[in-house]
Amino acid sequence: MVTVSLLQGDITSQAVDAIVNAANSSLLGGGGVDGAIHRAGGPEILAACRRLRAGALPDGLPTGGAVATTAGRLAARHVIHVVGPVHAPGQDRSHLLRSCYTQALAVADEIGARTVALPAVSAGAYGWPARDAADIALTTVLTAPTSVKEARFVLFDEAMLRVFTEALGALQPR
């Protein structure tokens, strides 16, 4: 069973087997977590993403999908890129957000990763409401079949850490 931990910090500094990147479908870098991972990891990550685009993923990574690359200069060994859904009021796209986490864990299993650092996928620029994003992320990771031993949610600010802490508390028996 996976152990979930929560911390506020910089996901790029985590010494884990794999870091999950909230990427855009192009895989060619962007803002937020994606930009930070590409900057800190160096050109090796972008080169690996370009190879994916030139081969297996010519149209990019679909929303809800996951794929692994090298982690370049990061302390992690791999980066698992996922494409979260943009929140759309009036449309239930939660299955796509759940898929990001289940697919990331499946890829982690494929590459032998036992420790994984994850961001709050879609809860930033993609506008997903924080508590709903936390509930989906935590429930999915805690119930997904995986060989990952530690899922470490690394949250950018104190407010998001508080939301995830409250959500995790609500999921755990008293």
Side-chain angles (χ1 to χ4, degrees), residues 1 142 168-174:
M1 187 170 142
L142 286 167
L168 184 59
L171 290 171
Q172 295 177 328
R174 301 198 188 271

Side-chain angles (χ1 to χ4, degrees), residues 127-167:
W128 207 280
R131 179 57 191 256
D132 193 42
D135 288 340
I136 291 169
L138 292 165
T139 300
T140 303
V141 168
L142 286 167
T143 60
T146 184
S147 297
V148 169
K149 299 298 181 202
E150 181 191 0
R152 184 183 310 164
F153 283 90
V154 182
L155 305 159
F156 183 72
D157 61 23
E158 188 176 323
M160 191 63 73
L161 176 61
R162 190 168 37 256
V163 169
F164 268 71
T165 300
E166 290 169 4

Side-chain angles (χ1 to χ4, degrees), residues 5-159:
S5 60
L6 308 173
L7 65 99
Q8 179 185 345
D10 178 359
I11 199 166
T12 67
S13 67
Q14 299 301 303
V16 291
D17 295 329
I19 289 174
V20 174
N21 178 21
N24 62 53
S25 63
S26 77
L27 295 176
L28 302 178
V33 171
D34 191 22
I37 287 172
H38 276 268
R39 282 189 301 277
E44 298 87 353
I45 297 172
L46 182 57
C49 289
R50 283 190 173 136
R51 284 191 296 277
L52 286 168
R53 290 298 307 274
L57 297 170
D59 298 324
L61 186 63
T63 302
V67 66
T69 66
T70 180
R73 295 184 223 141
L74 298 173
R77 292 186 332 199
H78 305 277
V79 173
I80 300 172
H81 307 267
V82 300
V83 178
V86 173
H87 185 258
Q91 290 183 15
D92 182 6
R93 304 184 82 205
S94 58
H95 66 287
L96 293 169
L97 187 53
R98 277 191 297 280
S99 181
C100 288
Y101 294 104
T102 57
Q103 293 301 308
L105 292 173
V107 170
D109 288 344
E110 289 171 13
I111 61 176
R114 297 298 172 254
T115 55
V116 178
L118 305 105
V121 176
S122 291
Y126 284 9
W128 207 280
R131 179 57 191 256
D132 193 42
D135 288 340
I136 291 169
L138 292 165
T139 300
T140 303
V141 168
L142 286 167
T143 60
T146 184
S147 297
V148 169
K149 299 298 181 202
E150 181 191 0
R152 184 183 310 164
F153 283 90
V154 182
L155 305 159
F156 183 72
D157 61 23
E158 188 176 323

